[in-house]
Coordinates of all heavy atoms in Angstrom, one line a residue:
M1 N -31.8 27.1 -13.3 CA -30.7 26.2 -13.2 C -30.3 25.7 -14.6 O -31.1 25.4 -15.4 CB -31.1 25.0 -12.3 CG -31.4 25.3 -10.9 SD -30.9 23.9 -9.9 CE -31.2 24.6 -8.3
N2 N -28.9 25.6 -14.7 CA -28.4 25.2 -16.0 C -27.9 23.8 -16.1 O -27.5 23.4 -17.1 CB -27.3 26.2 -16.4 CG -26.1 26.2 -15.4 OD1 -26.1 25.3 -14.5 ND2 -25.2 27.1 -15.6
N3 N -28.1 23.0 -15.0 CA -27.7 21.6 -15.0 C -26.2 21.4 -15.4 O -25.9 20.4 -16.1 CB -28.6 20.8 -15.9 CG -30.0 20.7 -15.3 OD1 -30.2 20.8 -14.1 ND2 -31.0 20.7 -16.2
E4 N -25.4 22.3 -15.0 CA -24.0 22.2 -15.4 C -23.2 21.3 -14.4 O -23.4 21.3 -13.2 CB -23.4 23.6 -15.3 CG -21.9 23.7 -15.8 CD -21.4 25.1 -15.9 OE1 -21.8 25.9 -15.0 OE2 -20.6 25.4 -16.8
V5 N -22.4 20.4 -15.0 CA -21.5 19.6 -14.3 C -20.1 20.0 -14.5 O -19.6 20.2 -15.6 CB -21.6 18.1 -14.8 CG1 -20.6 17.2 -14.1 CG2 -23.0 17.6 -14.5
I6 N -19.4 20.3 -13.4 CA -18.0 20.8 -13.4 C -17.2 19.9 -12.5 O -17.6 19.6 -11.4 CB -18.0 22.3 -13.0 CG1 -18.7 23.2 -13.9 CG2 -16.5 22.8 -12.8 CD1 -18.9 24.6 -13.5
L63 N -19.2 18.9 -9.2 CA -20.2 20.0 -8.9 C -21.3 20.0 -9.9 O -21.1 19.9 -11.1 CB -19.5 21.4 -9.0 CG -18.4 21.6 -8.0 CD1 -17.7 23.0 -8.3 CD2 -18.8 21.5 -6.6
F64 N -22.6 20.0 -9.4 CA -23.7 20.1 -10.2 C -24.5 21.4 -9.8 O -24.9 21.5 -8.6 CB -24.6 18.9 -10.0 CG -25.9 18.9 -10.8 CD1 -25.9 18.8 -12.2 CD2 -27.1 19.0 -10.2 CE1 -27.0 18.8 -12.9 CE2 -28.3 19.0 -10.9 CZ -28.3 18.9 -12.3
N65 N -24.6 22.3 -10.7 CA -25.2 23.6 -10.3 C -24.6 24.2 -9.0 O -25.3 24.6 -8.1 CB -26.7 23.5 -10.2 CG -27.4 23.2 -11.5 OD1 -26.9 23.5 -12.5 ND2 -28.5 22.5 -11.4
D66 N -23.3 24.1 -9.0 CA -22.4 24.7 -7.9 C -22.6 23.9 -6.6 O -22.2 24.4 -5.5 CB -22.7 26.2 -7.7 CG -22.3 27.0 -8.9 OD1 -21.3 26.7 -9.6 OD2 -23.0 27.9 -9.3
Q67 N -23.2 22.8 -6.6 CA -23.4 22.0 -5.4 C -22.5 20.7 -5.5 O -22.4 20.1 -6.6 CB -24.8 21.5 -5.2 CG -25.8 22.7 -5.0 CD -25.6 23.5 -3.8 OE1 -25.4 23.0 -2.7 NE2 -25.5 24.8 -3.9
R94 N -29.8 12.0 -13.3 CA -29.7 13.3 -14.0 C -28.5 13.3 -15.0 O -28.2 14.3 -15.6 CB -29.5 14.4 -13.1 CG -30.7 14.5 -12.1 CD -30.4 15.7 -11.2 NE -31.3 15.7 -10.0 CZ -31.4 16.6 -9.1 NH1 -30.7 17.7 -9.3 NH2 -32.1 16.5 -8.1
I96 N -25.4 12.9 -14.3 CA -24.3 13.5 -13.7 C -23.1 12.6 -13.7 O -21.9 13.0 -14.0 CB -24.6 14.0 -12.3 CG1 -25.7 15.1 -12.3 CG2 -23.4 14.5 -11.5 CD1 -26.3 15.5 -11.0
R99 N -21.6 12.4 -17.3 CA -21.0 13.6 -17.6 C -19.7 13.8 -16.9 O -18.7 14.3 -17.4 CB -21.9 14.8 -17.5 CG -23.0 14.8 -18.6 CD -23.8 16.1 -18.5 NE -24.9 15.9 -17.5 CZ -25.6 16.9 -17.0 NH1 -25.4 18.1 -17.3 NH2 -26.5 16.6 -16.1

Side-chain angles (χ1 to χ4, degrees):
M1 294 213 173
N2 59 9
N3 294 328
E4 187 174 34
V5 174
I6 296 172
L63 297 175
F64 178 70
N65 293 333
D66 297 322
Q67 300 296 310
R94 300 183 196 186
I96 297 168
R99 287 186 277 164

